[in-house]
Amino acid sequence: MSPVTAPPAPAPVQKPRRITELALLVVAVGVGVAANILVDPDQLGSGDPHILVTGLVLGIGALLLHVVLWLRARYADPYLLPIAVALNGLGIAMIHRIDLTTDQTAADSQVLWTALAMTAAGLVLWFLKDHRVLRRITYISLVLSGLLLLLPLLPGLGLELNGARIWISVGGRTFQPGEVAKITLAVFFAGYLSTNRDLILLAGRKLGPVRFPRFRDMAPMFTAWLIAIGVLVFQRDLGSAILFFGLFVAMIYLATSRLSWIIIGVLLVALGGFLASQVFGHVAARLDSWLNAFDPEVYNRAPGGSAQIVQGLFGLSSGGLFGQGLGQGRPDLVSYANSDMIITAFGEELGLIGVSAILVLFFLFVTRGFRAALGTRDAFGKLLAAGLSAVIVLQLFVVVGGVTRLIPLTGLTTPFMSAGGSSLLSNWIIAAIVLAISHTARRPVVTGPATEEDLAEVAAHEAALREASRRDEQERAERLERRRARRDGTADDEDDAEHDATADATARQRAVGPATARTAAVPAAPAEPAATEPITAAGPGARRAADDGGTPTEAMSRLTDQDRRGGASTENGGAP
């Protein structure tokens, strides 16, 4: 008598957790409003509307984004939005605190940009139903990135400030197109690498333990790299050049999982930094201010001196462990304290504990983005979410490393916190895209009995697999015939090997199913489709989530479910 086995436990069903998000949003808005009150408690009775306006913008904006997520992306990560709101609110509070001692109005402008940025994030979440549609504009994103970076160089439109030509002036307002370019570059890298990963990995020649891809496979990537170098040369902006090149290296490493790319990237950065310091005077001045910051001659040099760096270090030192309290320090002694050096202002008034808490919030934001990348089912979404998260952590590293003299000061802004509308706008758009991807990663796959349409789609899928296999066999036979016909072995064998690797990679790209489709009894969906057409579940007992389109994967799930449980519906949870 055969032993009785218990039925397999059902997969956990992922919950939307929007109530958790709402509770955290209340805390996040409260943190921002409380920080604005603490910087100057006397303003409560002075009739200054800043606190009220800030609270309304943060509160209403957060509530609207919460509603949009509830309607359009119910399974989005519940922690990303509250973290972004809290960081934004703290940034407004510190900018307002510096305004009180410098007679500026940067905080009012930051509140306005916050409203615009949160509106833009809401529009992205509302219209970006499926993040895979961005894959259709892979090369358009590359062209758009080039145009955005060229705008500041146009006469009459570009504006040079502090030696860097990275702004444009429209209607008396300045805007930095490079902040938007980091998003379009991430879209291009994700689209190109998800399509050509096999060619980059398999084709090309091997030098020691490293296989270098062919130039024609890497030409678009190197084009993007040259764009980043052009930023350094023509716009004199070291920070953006480091950010773009760091994004390039991070995403190719994420796509290939080869540490050699990190090593090559570090070597290229070192070589490029050395050459730039010998050719460009502004780069040499930055390095001198970094290495000899406490030299009186370097400290008093104008422009390009180290006074800003040294004053920032003194501010961090005076903050100690617990800080002097909001409104009790002198961050106004540091130039650009509300933008480039806002971390030193927080270090002086909140101390090491306060700055550590802010850094923990950033790291939570980034790790939730990587978690969304791990959970999503398509390579494009994985690379895009991971790349955008890498942009945030790279920018934070460059900023904090610069103000603490770990690396040269570059002039980048702290995400969500520094004064600057273009930076705030781009970072909220990044948050919206990552939220949309996290919804795809966490939403449950609803299955049910297979319908006639499902069966037809599976049959078409199997036919496509057979056709692909037939073409592969034909190509292998042709390659074998060519090899037999060749007279010389060494050089031609290498060419044949490269041709074989290219053909295998091309065949892998042409395959209509992932690796699991070739090993499982039931084939799966095409690899990373740009968009999927819904499958109407017309059979009895079939169910479909209100916001999900059917895919061949779901059709296969229904077939398996029908065979195993006689047509009963199940729900499989997505990634946590």
Side-chain angles (χ1 to χ4, degrees):
M1 182 175 180
S2 60
V4 178
T5 58
V13 179
Q14 194 63 244
K15 298 179 180 179
R17 304 187 70 180
R18 300 269 67 83
I19 300 299
T20 301
E21 179 186 74
L22 182 60
L24 291 175
L25 283 175
V26 173
V27 176
V29 173
V31 167
V33 173
N36 273 276
I37 295 174
L38 288 175
V39 297
D40 187 13
D42 295 336
Q43 62 184 322
L44 283 175
S46 64
D48 187 354
H50 173 76
I51 295 178
L52 178 61
V53 173
T54 301
L56 288 175
V57 168
L58 288 176
I60 295 175
L63 181 61
L64 289 177
L65 285 174
H66 173 73
V67 171
V68 171
L69 287 173
W70 202 310
L71 295 175
R72 305 291 286 184
R74 291 190 62 208
Y75 294 95
D77 191 283
Y79 304 108
L80 286 169
L81 180 59
I83 292 173
V85 171
L87 292 172
N88 199 165
L90 287 172
I92 293 175
M94 182 53 69
I95 296 169
H96 179 56
R97 184 261 175 278
I98 296 172
D99 284 350
L100 294 175
T101 56
T102 57
D103 295 328
Q104 296 180 347
T105 59
D108 295 335
S109 178
Q110 190 76 352
V111 172
L112 176 61
W113 275 108
T114 298
L116 294 175
M118 296 178 85
T119 301
L123 293 174
V124 170
L125 286 169
W126 185 266
F127 290 105
L128 190 63
K129 181 65 175 176
D130 188 344
H131 65 270
R132 290 171 295 184
V133 300
L134 295 176
R135 191 174 183 176
R136 301 174 183 172
I137 59 170
T138 296
Y139 289 97
I140 295 177
S141 297
L142 177 61
V143 174
L144 185 59
S145 300
L147 292 177
L148 288 170
L149 293 175
L150 287 175
L151 283 179
L153 301 178
L154 297 179
L157 184 62
L159 183 65
E160 182 173 335
L161 296 175
N162 302 317
R165 194 178 180 87
I166 56 177
W167 288 272
I168 60 174
S169 178
V170 179
R173 292 274 185 175
T174 59
F175 188 80
Q176 189 173 341
E179 289 288 342
V180 181
K182 66 186 181 185
I183 302 175
T184 55
L185 279 175
V187 172
F188 163 71
F189 289 146
Y192 185 80
L193 288 171
S194 62
T195 303
N196 298 278
R197 177 180 180 274
D198 289 332
L199 288 174
I200 295 172
L201 279 174
L202 300 177
R205 299 186 182 276
K206 195 171 184 180
L207 182 62
V210 181
R211 180 180 292 277
F212 290 93
R214 299 173 306 178
F215 179 77
R216 65 174 175 267
D217 296 327
M218 290 297 295
M221 297 287 288
F222 278 112
T223 301
W225 179 73
L226 289 175
I227 290 174
I229 299 301
V231 172
L232 173 62
V233 174
F234 297 106
Q235 299 185 359
R236 302 166 61 91
D237 183 24
L238 180 62
S240 296
I242 293 176
L243 182 63
F244 295 151
F245 185 72
L247 174 64
F248 168 82
V249 174
M251 293 199 68
I252 196 170
Y253 169 72
L254 290 169
T256 61
S257 300
R258 288 183 174 173
L259 188 61
S260 56
W261 285 109
I262 300 292
I263 298 174
I264 294 172
V266 171
L267 292 176
L268 287 176
V269 167
L271 178 62
F274 174 76
L275 294 177
S277 65
Q278 302 300 313
V279 177
F280 305 112
H282 64 286
V283 176
R286 285 286 179 92
L287 292 176
D288 191 27
S289 299
W290 171 49
L291 298 173
N292 306 299
F294 293 94
D295 188 329
E297 182 180 350
V298 177
Y299 179 89
N300 294 313
R301 185 173 57 202
S306 61
Q308 182 185 28
I309 301 174
V310 173
Q311 289 294 336
L313 292 173
F314 287 157
L316 289 171
S317 177
S318 64
L321 185 62
F322 299 101
Q324 299 186 16
L326 283 173
Q328 303 302 313
R330 289 298 307 275
D332 55 290
L333 296 178
V334 184
S335 56
Y336 299 101
N338 61 1
S339 56
D340 300 355
M341 307 292 289
I342 198 168
I343 288 294
T344 64
F346 278 109
E348 181 178 0
E349 301 203 338
L350 297 182
L352 178 62
I353 293 178
V355 172
S356 298
I358 291 173
L359 294 180
V360 167
L361 286 177
F362 276 111
F363 292 146
L364 284 174
F365 185 92
V366 171
T367 53
R368 299 307 296 186
F370 281 118
R371 193 180 185 91
L374 288 172
T376 191
R377 300 167 182 85
D378 63 293
F380 173 76
K382 289 179 182 295
L383 286 174
L384 183 57
L388 293 176
S389 301
V391 164
I392 298 294
V393 75
L394 280 171
Q395 190 164 343
L396 183 66
F397 170 77
V398 171
V399 170
V400 177
V403 301
T404 57
R405 273 193 75 205
L406 178 65
I407 60 175
L409 187 67
T410 59
L412 287 178
T413 56
T414 306
F416 295 107
M417 304 188 81
S418 294
S422 51
S423 174
L424 191 61
L425 177 64
S426 64
N427 289 317
W428 269 108
I429 293 176
I430 288 175
I433 296 174
V434 175
L435 279 168
I437 296 174
S438 70
H439 164 69
T440 303
R442 298 179 72 251
R443 66 183 176 185
V445 178
V446 183
T447 61
T451 66
E452 293 298 328
E453 293 182 4
D454 294 338
L455 296 173
E457 190 161 347
V458 170
H461 183 81
E462 291 176 340
L465 281 177
R466 288 193 296 269
E467 177 63 21
S469 177
R470 185 192 64 78
R471 287 198 299 266
D472 290 344
E473 290 297 333
Q474 183 178 358
E475 289 179 0
R476 291 193 187 97
E478 291 176 356
R479 291 201 302 270
L480 183 60
E481 187 65 28
R482 284 197 300 271
R483 287 183 180 181
R484 290 174 178 173
R486 293 186 181 277
R487 297 178 179 178
D488 297 330
T490 306
D492 291 336
D493 285 345
E494 291 180 359
D495 293 340
D496 286 339
E498 181 176 338
H499 183 275
D500 292 348
T502 305
D504 291 340
T506 304
R508 203 177 269 102
Q509 284 182 271
R510 193 175 58 233
V512 293
T516 53
R518 293 186 290 274
T519 58
V522 182
E528 298 84 49
T532 54
E533 295 296 330
I535 302 173
T536 304
R543 296 182 296 165
R544 176 78 70 246
D547 58 351
D548 277 342
T551 65
T553 301
E554 295 178 20
M556 258 58 78
S557 299
R558 285 191 289 277
L559 278 175
T560 306
D561 180 65
Q562 186 181 42
D563 293 339
R564 187 178 70 248
R565 303 179 60 178
S569 298
T570 61
E571 287 190 358
N572 297 325

